[in-house]
Amino acid sequence: MTNPKWARARFLRSNSRKLKENMTKPLTVLVVDDDEVFASNLAKNLTLDGYETLLAATGKKALMIIGENKPDILICDLKLPDLDGDSLLKEARTLSPETKLFLISAYVDTAIEERLKKICVCGFIHKPIVLDDVTAMIHKNTL
């Protein structure tokens, strides 16, 4: 008997491949997190799903990348060493209005989530993450 989680993962990967085949250019995802191992692993998984990925460990580096590359998707941690994710997302909205914004956090704060919904944050991803849920949330907000 097939495990439902594995079946869902195969379904998402299959749909990701179909999406990639139908796109002329893969969507670019900027992952911003000071936990470089976490960010690298998330980026590797997104690459397997057909996305082009960029990484930044600080808010300043992320703003530089956003200004130069205008990524399609930004996944940002709430707590960064030099800039909080809240401020980064607001600045990203100004620099690249078309970028889909997602917040990752180990801290669940509904007040922050409500405030960020006003600047059109597409989703909130709570740590620890489930990679398939992240992929599904991105698909839902980009298709």
Side-chain angles (χ1 to χ4, degrees), residues 32-48:
V32 185
D33 199 307
D34 58 328
D35 181 344
E36 293 181 30
V37 173
F38 170 81
S40 177
N41 286 333
L42 178 55
K44 284 177 188 174
N45 280 282
L46 291 170
T47 300
L48 289 173

Side-chain angles (χ1 to χ4, degrees), residues 9 15 27 40 54 65 83 85 88 103 107 113 123 130:
N15 282 347
L27 295 175
S40 177
L54 303 167
I65 291 171
L83 190 65
L88 175 60
L103 179 73
Y107 309 97
E113 289 181 12
V130 176

Side-chain angles (χ1 to χ4, degrees), residues 51-118:
Y51 296 96
E52 183 180 306
T53 57
L54 303 167
L55 292 171
T58 65
K60 289 180 184 176
K61 177 72 173 170
L63 290 172
M64 185 183 77
I65 291 171
I66 293 165
E68 293 173 359
N69 297 290
K70 306 284 191 247
D72 300 298
I73 300 162
L74 170 63
I75 299 175
C76 174
D77 191 15
L78 179 63
K79 303 288 184 185
L80 296 169
D82 62 341
L83 190 65
D84 64 84
D86 193 340
S87 299
L88 175 60
L89 291 172
K90 288 176 185 171
E91 187 67 25
R93 175 58 65 220
T94 303
L95 290 171
S96 182
E98 299 300 315
T99 299
K100 304 288 185 183
L101 306 175
F102 296 88
L103 179 73
I104 293 181
S105 181
Y107 309 97
V108 178
D109 187 338
T110 54
I112 291 173
E113 289 181 12
E114 289 301 317
R115 190 171 64 244
L116 292 176
K117 282 181 185 176
K118 292 177 184 171

Side-chain angles (χ1 to χ4, degrees), residues 15-29 46-47 49-52 72-73 138-139 142-143:
N15 282 347
S16 295
R17 280 189 219 105
K18 289 176 190 171
L19 178 64
K20 185 178 178 184
E21 291 167 4
N22 292 331
M23 293 186 331
T24 56
K25 177 183 171 264
L27 295 175
T28 303
V29 179
L46 291 170
T47 300
D49 283 338
Y51 296 96
E52 183 180 306
D72 300 298
I73 300 162
I138 291 171
H139 282 288
T142 58
L143 293 179

